[in-house]
Amino acid sequence: MTATIKTDEEIIKMRDAGQAAAELLSMLGTHVQPGISTDELNEICEEYTQNTLRATSAPLNYHGFPKSVCTSVNHVVCHGIPNDKKLKNGDIVNLDVTILKDGYHGDTSAMFAVGKPTVKAQRLMEVCREAMQIGLRMVAPGVRLGDIGHAIQEFSEAANYSVVREYCGHGIGSVFHEDPQVLHYGVRGTGMVLQPGMTFTIEPMLNIGKRHVKQLNDGWTVVTRDRSLSAQWEHTVLVTDTGYEILTLRQDEVI
Ligand code: MF3
Ligand code: CO
Ligand code: CO
């Protein structure tokens, strides 16, 4: 497995794409409320991407994905396709956006509660965010991907959640998904050694029940086999000379 090392010029473009993705996700989140459909969120996403960000939605037509944003509700783990079903009070939804701007990608997702979440759902979302943060804070030259995967897994399983294995974080740049694969489980002291200039995502998926998932017949939607609730958070991160820079950090967001 090899990773591309971005030049200073490329890093400027990655920062720009990352900031556009962050702004899009913040904006989209303000529209999450009971009664809105995920199709409506998709339309808002596409309109803002084109007309305000002057950028492209990378998911649209990516390997045939039909929409501009992934919307994963309740027991949907990832890659949910927007549809005309309305969100209702107590649902939780992951919105996963990816912007392509000036040839570079920014990929980020977050959980949103529709109305008032249950205590169970709230805790799942919070622990999942913390799992992502634990991984992000470890990013630095010399650290190995197995160290990060191990830390995310250990924290998540200690909180009694399972970690999805079939999907992972990924290198990102001018290519949406490139090497390395960033697993959210693993063994300390193994895997790629991080170097300054690498850019990749950390995007753990945690389930309340068992870790096993299945893909629906639409070829995209991934759900928990036991129909338990699932959560995911994602950021795109740069390895700097001394640590990390979160390229998709939102205004007022603290890691
Ligand atoms: N944004 C997803 C990720 O984090 C990928 C979505 S691919 C799509 O890697 F085609 F479903 F949009
Ligand atoms: Co991603
Ligand atoms: Co994503």
Coordinates of all heavy atoms in Angstrom, one line a residue, residues 96 98 107-108 203 234, ligand 3:
D96 N -23.4 12.8 4.8 CA -22.0 12.6 4.3 C -21.8 13.3 3.0 O -22.4 12.9 2.0 CB -21.7 11.1 4.2 CG -20.2 10.9 4.0 OD1 -19.4 11.8 3.6 OD2 -19.8 9.7 4.2
T98 N -19.2 15.2 0.1 CA -17.9 15.3 -0.5 C -17.9 16.3 -1.6 O -18.7 16.2 -2.5 CB -17.4 13.9 -1.0 OG1 -17.6 12.9 0.0 CG2 -15.9 14.0 -1.4
D107 N -14.0 15.6 2.2 CA -15.0 14.5 2.6 C -15.3 14.6 4.1 O -14.3 14.5 4.9 CB -14.4 13.2 2.2 CG -15.3 12.0 2.3 OD1 -16.5 12.2 2.6 OD2 -14.8 10.9 2.1
T108 N -16.5 14.8 4.4 CA -16.8 14.9 5.9 C -18.3 14.5 6.2 O -19.1 14.7 5.3 CB -16.5 16.4 6.4 OG1 -16.8 16.4 7.8 CG2 -17.4 17.4 5.7
E203 N -13.3 7.8 9.7 CA -14.8 7.8 9.6 C -15.4 6.6 10.2 O -16.1 5.8 9.5 CB -15.2 8.0 8.1 CG -14.5 7.1 7.1 CD -15.0 7.3 5.7 OE1 -16.3 7.2 5.5 OE2 -14.2 7.6 4.8
E234 N -17.1 11.7 10.2 CA -15.9 11.7 9.3 C -15.3 13.1 9.2 O -16.0 14.1 9.0 CB -16.4 11.2 7.9 CG -15.3 11.4 6.9 CD -15.7 10.8 5.5 OE1 -16.9 10.9 5.2 OE2 -14.8 10.3 4.8
Ligands
CO3 CO -17.7 10.7 3.3

